[in-house]
Amino acid sequence: MDFALTEDQQALVAAAADFARAELMEHAAEWDASSHFPLDVIRRAGEAGFLAIYTPEERGGLGLSRLDASLIFEQLSQGCIATTAYLTIHNMVTWMIANWASEAVRERYVEAMVTGELLGSYCLTEPGAGSDAANLRTRATRDGDHYVIDGSKMFISGAGSTEVLVVMARTGEPDSGASGVSAFVVPADAEGVSYGKNEDKMGWKSQPTRLISFDGVRVPAENRLGEEGEGFRFAMKGLDGGRLNIASCSLGAAQHALQLARDYMLERKQFGRELASFQALQFKLADMATELSAARLMVRQAAWKLDQADPEATAWCAMAKRFATDVGFKVCNEALQLHGGYGYIREYPLERLVRDTRVHQILEGTNEIMRVIVARRLLDDGVVEALQ
C-alpha cells in the first residue's frame, strides 16, 4: 500500500497550487465583499484544463481519476473556496453531458464546456424537495419530438450567469419516486426559463445562487440524458463524485486555515510570550492537524474506491463527505478562535473561511443524509465487513 503521490499527481498539485496563487488567492476577499462571479478567471481555469478534469479524453477532457480531481480541488480551494466550489459543479455537469447525452448534444455542448466558452449549472434541488430529492415535482411532459418542462429549482449555483442547465424532472407518474425522474440538457436562455434574485448568502458570495423557474420550456427529446427514468441514477452518480469534490474543498480550506493559525501563533505575543509557547495552544494546533490528516486520508480512500467502481463506493463517499466537511469547518473555526478578535474581522481571511466552509455540511446532501446513506448500507448483510 503506497500513499505517495505519483510524479504526475505531484505535477497536478503544483499546477493547481500555482493557479490558486496567481488567479484566486489575491482576489478572493474582494470577490466575496462585492459578490463578484469571476467569469474571466473561471474561463482561464478552462485553459488550464480545470473545467473538465474527469471528462473523458475522447470528449476533450483531461480524463483524470477522481483521486486526481480531489488533489486538484484541494489546492484550488486554498485560493478561493467559493470559486473552486463552482468549478466542481461545472466539472460534474460537463462529465454528465459527456457520458450520457446523445451524440448530437455532446457535439453541441461538451467542447465549449471544456474550454469554458459555455458554463453549466446542476438543477436538482427544489423549494419542496431538498434532502428528499426523489420527491421532486418539476415535470417534463412528452409532446411529440419535444418535452415540455414546468416547475422550479432552488439554490442553483451559477444560475443567471451560466449557459447550460442539467435539469432533473419527473417523466413518470407523480408517485413514481426515483424511478420516474429523467435528466435533460436545457439551454439557460430557453423561452420560459426565468431566474429569481441572487440569494444573499452567509458564504459562497463569489458565485450567484438563484431560483430557476420553468414555464412551458420546450426542449428536443434528444436533449434527454439516457433513457426515461434514468435521471435519478445519473444524479446520484454525479453526487458521489460531487461529495468528494466538496469534501476536497473543505480540505483545502482547512489546510489554509491551519497554516494561517501556525503563522499567527509564531508571530503573536501575549503575556510576554509567543502564542506558540503555550502548551494548550500547541495541543489545539496538533489536534487540528491530526483531524485534517485523517479527513484527507478518508477522502482519498473514497476517491480511490470510486475510481475502482467499488460496490460500496457510495457509502465510502458519504462517510468521507460527512467527516471531511465537519472537520474542515471545525479546523477553520478553531483557527479563527486562535486569532482572537483579529479572526473576526475581514482584514484577516479566517471569517471568510468559516462562512464558506459552513455550507459544505449542507450541500451535495446534508451530513445528516450522509449518515442515513451509511446507516442503511450498514444494516444490510455483509456490508459492515465490506467497509474495512
Side-chain angles (χ1 to χ4, degrees):
M1 187 177 295
D2 187 355
F3 292 95
L5 301 184
T6 66
E7 290 186 7
D8 286 346
Q9 288 172 331
Q10 292 175 29
L12 291 172
V13 167
D18 288 344
F19 188 89
R21 285 189 293 268
E23 298 281 4
L24 302 176
M25 189 170 291
E26 291 186 8
H27 308 290
E30 176 189 345
W31 295 340
D32 174 78
S34 61
S35 297
H36 174 66
F37 192 36
L39 292 171
D40 55 337
V41 175
I42 290 169
R43 292 193 166 97
R44 286 199 290 277
E47 296 172 7
F50 297 146
L51 293 184
I53 295 170
Y54 45 87
T55 293
E57 287 185 274
E58 60 268 24
R59 300 297 174 187
L62 296 183
L64 298 177
S65 68
R66 294 311 180 104
L67 176 55
D68 294 334
S70 175
L71 300 174
I72 290 169
F73 291 136
E74 180 178 349
Q75 292 301 315
L76 292 177
S77 60
Q78 294 184 52
C80 179
I81 302 165
T83 303
T84 302
Y86 173 74
L87 297 180
T88 73
I89 293 165
H90 177 86
N91 267 271
M92 180 168 62
V93 172
T94 304
W95 172 78
M96 292 179 73
I97 296 174
N99 277 281
W100 294 305
S102 65
E103 191 61 35
V105 171
R106 287 170 177 166
E107 291 180 359
R108 192 178 311 142
Y109 290 108
V110 173
E111 182 178 347
M113 297 184 74
V114 168
T115 63
E117 178 185 349
L118 298 179
L119 299 178
S121 291
Y122 179 77
C123 306
L124 174 63
T125 299
E126 297 184 359
S131 294
D132 187 13
N135 197 35
L136 61 84
R137 289 291 178 261
T138 295
R139 180 144 198 92
T141 305
R142 187 69 182 255
D143 182 19
D145 293 333
H146 287 74
Y147 284 88
V148 180
I149 301 177
D150 294 281
S152 60
K153 298 293 180 178
M154 191 71 178
F155 303 131
I156 306 304
S157 292
S161 298
T162 56
E163 293 82 19
V164 185
L165 312 176
V166 166
V167 180
M168 307 299 156
R170 186 162 302 283
T171 49
E173 296 300 317
D175 61 351
S176 56
S179 65
V181 175
S182 301
F184 299 88
V185 178
V186 180
D189 61 354
E191 184 176 353
V193 177
S194 60
Y195 298 89
K197 65 180 177 65
N198 185 10
E199 301 291 349
D200 187 8
K201 307 184 295 294
M202 172 182 172
W204 274 27
K205 289 180 173 292
S206 67
Q207 58 162 286
T209 303
R210 290 183 170 89
L211 177 142
I212 306 180
S213 297
F214 302 87
D215 184 9
V217 178
R218 294 181 65 85
V219 296
E222 70 176 9
N223 281 33
R224 188 186 64 224
L225 300 182
E227 301 298 325
E228 278 200 5
E230 290 191 302
F232 195 79
R233 180 171 65 87
F234 296 158
M236 294 304 102
K237 281 182 173 292
L239 285 177
D240 280 343
R243 287 163 183 161
L244 294 179
N245 293 344
I246 212 62
S248 301
C249 289
S250 288
L251 297 179
Q255 180 66 34
H256 188 194
L258 179 65
Q259 291 169 337
L260 291 170
R262 185 275 315 273
D263 293 347
Y264 188 77
M265 285 175 59
L266 291 170
E267 296 168 0
R268 176 73 167 165
K269 291 186 177 181
Q270 290 285 275
F271 307 104
R273 299 163 55 190
E274 292 179 345
L275 293 185
S277 69
F278 291 91
Q279 191 176 65
L281 302 187
Q282 292 175 1
F283 285 1
K284 186 179 290 290
L285 197 69
D287 286 345
M288 291 161 65
T290 301
E291 292 180 22
L292 174 56
S293 295
R296 181 176 288 115
L297 287 172
M298 281 196 73
V299 172
R300 293 183 182 180
Q301 182 184 28
W304 184 83
K305 294 284 188 180
L306 190 58
D307 287 329
Q308 301 302 312
D310 187 283
E312 298 303 333
T314 293
W316 286 105
C317 292
M319 289 191 294
K321 189 269 182 182
R322 199 287 297 170
F323 188 75
T325 57
D326 281 351
V327 166
F329 176 75
K330 180 181 178 181
V331 169
C332 291
N333 195 45
E334 294 282 18
L336 187 153
Q337 185 73 16
L338 285 169
H339 279 70
Y342 291 105
Y344 201 66
I345 61 177
R346 293 203 171 190
E347 182 179 348
Y348 290 76
L350 273 305
E351 59 85 27
R352 174 167 46 83
L353 299 185
V354 169
R355 287 188 289 107
D356 280 349
T357 53
R358 181 60 183 86
V359 74
H360 297 182
Q361 297 168 296
I362 299 172
L363 52 81
E364 307 287 10
T366 66
N367 284 3
E368 289 73 22
I369 291 298
M370 297 304 99
R371 291 177 171 91
V372 170
I373 291 170
V374 175
R376 285 177 176 172
R377 289 301 298 143
L378 289 173
L379 294 172
D380 286 345
D381 288 343
V383 175
V384 170
E385 293 79 7
L387 294 177
Q388 62 176 321

